[in-house]
Amino acid sequence: MIAKDQLRTIVERIERLEEQKKTIADDIKDVYAEAKGNGFDVKALRAVIMLRKHDPAKLKEQEAILDTYLNALGMLPLFAMKEAAE
Amino acid sequence: MIAKDQLRTIVERIERLEEQKKTIADDIKDVYAEAKGNGFDVKALRAVIMLRKHDPAKLKEQEAILDTYLNALGMLPLFAMKEAAE
Amino acid sequence: MIAKDQLRTIVERIERLEEQKKTIADDIKDVYAEAKGNGFDVKALRAVIMLRKHDPAKLKEQEAILDTYLNALGMLPLFAMKEAAE
Amino acid sequence: MIAKDQLRTIVERIERLEEQKKTIADDIKDVYAEAKGNGFDVKALRAVIMLRKHDPAKLKEQEAILDTYLNALGMLPLFAMKEAAE
DNA sequence: TAGGGCTACTTCCATC
DNA sequence: GATGGAAGTAGCCCTA
């Protein structure tokens, strides 16, 4: 025997939350679409958002490793070594 | 020359919305976790939620096709043919 | 100092494998497309493939739980209780 | 009435191809794991692989847009403008 | 540490 | 041809 009321409550709570989540996801889409309409590059915008989520120090470290690898493969470095350039 | 203020506004709006979205996603997780703690099967709960999102008629149709295929392959039908059973 | 040759070998191995993987993925797409051209329902085909990956006993058990929940919610059971029908 | 043999053939072809695909995916995992064991940074390796998939010109263009945005937001540019440095 | 779930991104398809 | 939505894929995260 299942606790009907409890089950119903759970399902309804989840459905309501999912609905809210969807609304917000749609809002986000709208913002991107509007930005695109104003001439912004959506891909680059996404990249900006993603970068801001990350710790700059960690990021810099990752860049350095990546450039080391690119260099070892004879590829152009992506991230300039600003310090070294001076 | 980029519209700095416009860009900043876009980024901030997205970040705020994403934050809200994350909050809700966490709430959903909590509900599932609590349900699990009360003895519910999370996988089945997810299935219930998913099923309720779909049009029952469409669903029934898909089930029928699937059972036809399963039958043709000599596998047990998943969905009973209620009409046939009567 | 990075082991250039080792790095190059790793990258080339991965790239070769990814290429092979893509070839196969394309083949799979082709099969589905061809099946669709012959009148098969792709969604149902995917469902068949997925079902066959799973242990029938586990599957049956999951179905039973799901139907219990659906029943508690006053929804139509998806999976007939074959035993009960007799 | 369904073309049983045709269906069976389709399903078997897909299953065989999926099996092959899985084998290759596992091989790729193995290469990464082995690389990690040899001290390589897997995340950076993945980045290298991804970068090599893309047209350098397109990439450079995307970098430029991104840096423009980062600059407009008062964030440090990621990609040095090598030309400007000279 | 291996597997499964979740999220985000991309691609594909159908529609207009 | 563009736009929207659905599906597949990949990478990350967390649990067992």
Side-chain angles (χ1 to χ4, degrees), chain C residues 9 11-21, chain D residues 24:
Chain C
T9 303
V11 168
E12 284 169 0
R13 281 170 69 196
I14 293 172
E15 283 181 341
R16 185 140 35 87
L17 288 166
E18 293 215 331
E19 198 179 340
Q20 294 173 226
K21 200 173 81 158
Chain D
I24 295 176

Side-chain angles (χ1 to χ4, degrees), chain D residues 3 16 37-39 45 66:
Chain D
R16 186 142 32 88
N38 287 330
L45 280 179
L66 179 50

Side-chain angles (χ1 to χ4, degrees), chain C residues 24-40:
Chain C
I24 295 176
D26 289 344
D27 288 347
I28 293 174
K29 262 189 202 166
D30 288 346
V31 177
Y32 277 117
E34 183 190 326
K36 183 177 182 174
N38 287 330
F40 287 96

Side-chain angles (χ1 to χ4, degrees), chain A residues 4-14, chain B residues 31, chain C residues 73:
Chain A
K4 285 192 191 195
D5 293 341
Q6 202 179 3
L7 176 59
R8 188 173 299 276
T9 304
I10 290 165
V11 168
E12 284 169 0
R13 281 170 70 197
I14 292 173
Chain B
V31 178
Chain C
L73 292 168

Side-chain angles (χ1 to χ4, degrees), chain A residues 6-55:
Chain A
Q6 202 179 3
L7 176 59
R8 188 173 299 276
T9 304
I10 290 165
V11 168
E12 284 169 0
R13 281 170 70 197
I14 292 173
E15 283 180 340
R16 186 144 31 89
L17 288 167
E18 293 217 331
E19 198 179 338
Q20 295 174 226
K21 200 174 83 158
K22 177 158 186 14
T23 301
I24 295 176
D26 288 344
D27 288 348
I28 293 174
K29 262 190 201 167
D30 289 346
V31 178
Y32 277 119
E34 183 190 326
K36 183 177 181 174
N38 288 330
F40 287 96
D41 183 292
V42 172
K43 198 171 206 169
L45 280 179
R46 286 188 191 282
V48 169
I49 299 288
M50 196 168 307
L51 286 170
R52 285 164 63 100
K53 276 186 194 158
H54 290 63
D55 173 30

